[in-house]
Amino acid sequence: MGIHGLSKVIGDHAPSGSKENEIKNYFGRKIAIDASMSIYQFLIAVRSDGSQLTNEAGEITSHLMGMFYRTIRMIENGIKPVYVFDGKPPLMKSGEAPCEAEAQCAALVKSGKVYATGTEDMDALTFGSNVLLRHLTFSEARKMPIREFYLDRVLAELELSHDEFIDLCILLGCDYCDSIKGIGPKRAVDLIKQYKSIEEIVKHIDTNKYILPEEWPYQEARELFKNPEVLQDEDVNLKWEAPNEEELVKFLVEEKGFNEERIRSGVKKVLKARKGSTQGRLDSFFKVVPSPSPPIKRKNEDSKGPKTKKSKPNARAIGKKPK
């Protein structure tokens, strides 16, 4: 679920905070991907069109094949994916939507181990991921552009600190607690800009008009966004090895009933893509700096003096041999 209406709030109030991009432009990037969200997308897709792929035992396997080929396509585009799965849910979490993966993805971004978080849930920004990529994991299949969000630009244009942004996200509606009834996105932005915190907002609004939830643990929700339970930097060591072809065949072919030739062909694509993606991004080697301003031409000291005739261009200077 993420944060209700946050993408629209950014579009309306901080348009420079996002832009469209193409998957090919992430060549050489390491991206932390919300694995549960990716799997969920495949399960929803097969339900909607009714074409569920199953094995002989009747188990749904569409998501496995989808993940296999999606990973191949990302690697072929030079992306190094880091799939992050959910851990244990926090005690106060309401509903079933995953959230812990986004917190860990954001931590990987903040530590500099990856470039961005790939997920559809906007709360990756709330957790502090400076770059969020939506539609990354199915853009190549649906030909949709990737929507890239930048937390620092969003905060700058909204004129909010990250703490104030977290309170805004709670007001919009998050996975951890209810929001104030009667306060929509525009009103939430106006209130947080004026009063800077939920505590001050509650002091100044008409609680007869804007109904507070009976149980509203917004302070605990705020703490979860600020200090989620994630692996620390020193406990994370990312390394991309060659695929274990025989284990993939054992799992996908012998256990799940996929075609062996297709699986081995997919492994060959990964190996080929790995060889071609060893080249790093240019921006990791060079720093782009603005070009200096052109020098100002000095005027003749004696502007009133007689003008001299322009000499003819030297023959050697224009590429002709002198006679």
Side-chain angles (χ1 to χ4, degrees):
M1 182 170 63
I3 307 300
H4 293 169
L6 180 56
S7 60
K8 187 175 188 307
V9 166
I10 292 173
D12 292 342
H13 300 276
S16 68
S18 71
K19 70 174 185 179
E20 290 185 349
N21 213 331
E22 297 180 69
I23 192 170
K24 65 181 181 181
N25 294 330
Y26 297 99
F27 179 90
R29 295 292 195 193
K30 301 170 185 174
I31 300 176
I33 296 171
D34 180 352
S36 296
M37 175 60 70
S38 295
I39 293 171
Y40 179 71
Q41 288 171 344
F42 281 114
L43 294 175
I44 290 298
V46 297
R47 284 179 196 169
S48 61
D49 63 16
S51 56
Q52 293 183 344
L53 185 64
T54 61
N55 60 12
E56 292 181 358
E59 299 173 320
I60 296 175
T61 55
S62 300
H63 59 295
L64 299 177
M65 185 55 70
M67 290 288 285
F68 181 65
Y69 283 108
R70 175 173 289 176
T71 302
I72 291 172
R73 285 191 291 267
M74 283 192 286
I75 294 173
E76 285 181 326
N77 279 281
I79 293 173
K80 290 185 174 180
V82 181
Y83 283 109
V84 179
F85 290 83
D86 295 316
K88 63 179 182 180
L91 295 177
M92 66 174 295
K93 184 171 176 60
S94 61
E96 297 299 326
C99 74
E100 289 65 48
E102 296 96 273
Q104 185 65 65
C105 289
L108 292 173
V109 176
K110 288 189 286 185
S111 67
K113 292 185 179 294
V114 300
Y115 168 71
T117 296
T119 182
E120 300 308 300
D121 283 348
M122 295 294 292
D123 56 4
L125 293 177
T126 323
F127 281 114
S129 177
N130 190 50
V131 183
L132 181 151
L133 306 179
R134 297 187 84 187
H135 317 319
L136 167 70
T137 53
F138 57 88
S139 66
E140 75 287 349
R142 299 189 184 180
K143 307 302 180 184
M144 291 180 63
I146 293 167
R147 173 60 65 175
E148 188 167 1
F149 293 85
Y150 306 92
L151 179 59
D152 55 351
R153 298 181 191 177
V154 170
L155 297 180
E157 198 160 354
L158 284 173
E159 298 181 332
L160 298 176
S161 67
H162 188 236
D163 286 352
E164 293 162 354
F165 179 73
I166 289 174
D167 276 15
L168 170 62
C169 291
I170 294 172
L171 288 175
L172 292 173
C174 67
D175 291 338
Y176 300 121
C177 61
D178 295 325
S179 54
I180 302 174
K181 291 182 179 179
I183 293 181
K186 186 179 184 305
R187 182 65 172 151
V189 172
D190 292 341
L191 288 172
I192 204 68
K193 282 189 171 186
Q194 182 176 2
Y195 297 113
K196 306 300 182 183
S197 71
I198 291 175
E199 285 84 354
E200 288 300 310
I201 290 172
V202 171
K203 288 180 184 177
H204 291 87
I205 62 172
D206 181 357
T207 53
N208 292 317
K209 180 179 179 181
Y210 302 110
I211 311 300
L212 304 181
E214 291 184 12
E215 294 184 8
W216 195 29
Y218 69 87
Q219 292 172 323
E220 290 88 341
R222 178 193 290 156
E223 182 62 21
L224 280 171
F225 281 124
K226 293 175 69 173
N227 299 297
E229 187 177 346
V230 295
L231 291 175
Q232 300 304 309
D233 297 353
E234 59 271 16
D235 297 325
V236 178
N237 182 27
L238 302 178
K239 194 174 182 181
W240 285 264
E241 301 282 1
N244 189 324
E245 183 172 350
E246 297 309 316
E247 287 297 320
L248 279 169
V249 169
K250 181 180 178 181
F251 176 66
L252 292 176
V253 177
E254 297 178 17
E255 296 183 24
K256 300 301 177 182
F258 290 111
N259 180 275
E260 182 175 352
E261 185 179 350
R262 293 182 65 187
I263 299 303
R264 291 193 184 276
S265 175
V267 172
K268 288 179 181 177
K269 290 180 180 179
V270 172
L271 293 172
K272 181 180 178 181
R274 275 171 54 84
K275 290 180 181 179
S277 63
T278 54
Q279 171 187 351
R281 289 179 62 89
L282 287 177
D283 56 13
S284 66
F285 295 98
F286 302 101
K287 183 177 180 181
V288 179
V289 295
S291 59
S293 302
I296 301 174
K297 294 182 179 179
R298 299 180 62 182
K299 296 180 179 179
N300 292 333
E301 292 182 4
D302 187 6
S303 59
K304 296 182 180 180
K307 294 182 180 180
T308 58
K309 293 183 179 180
K310 293 183 180 179
S311 60
K312 293 183 178 179
N314 187 289
R316 190 179 299 274
I318 59 175
K320 293 182 179 180
K321 293 182 180 179
K323 295 180 180 179

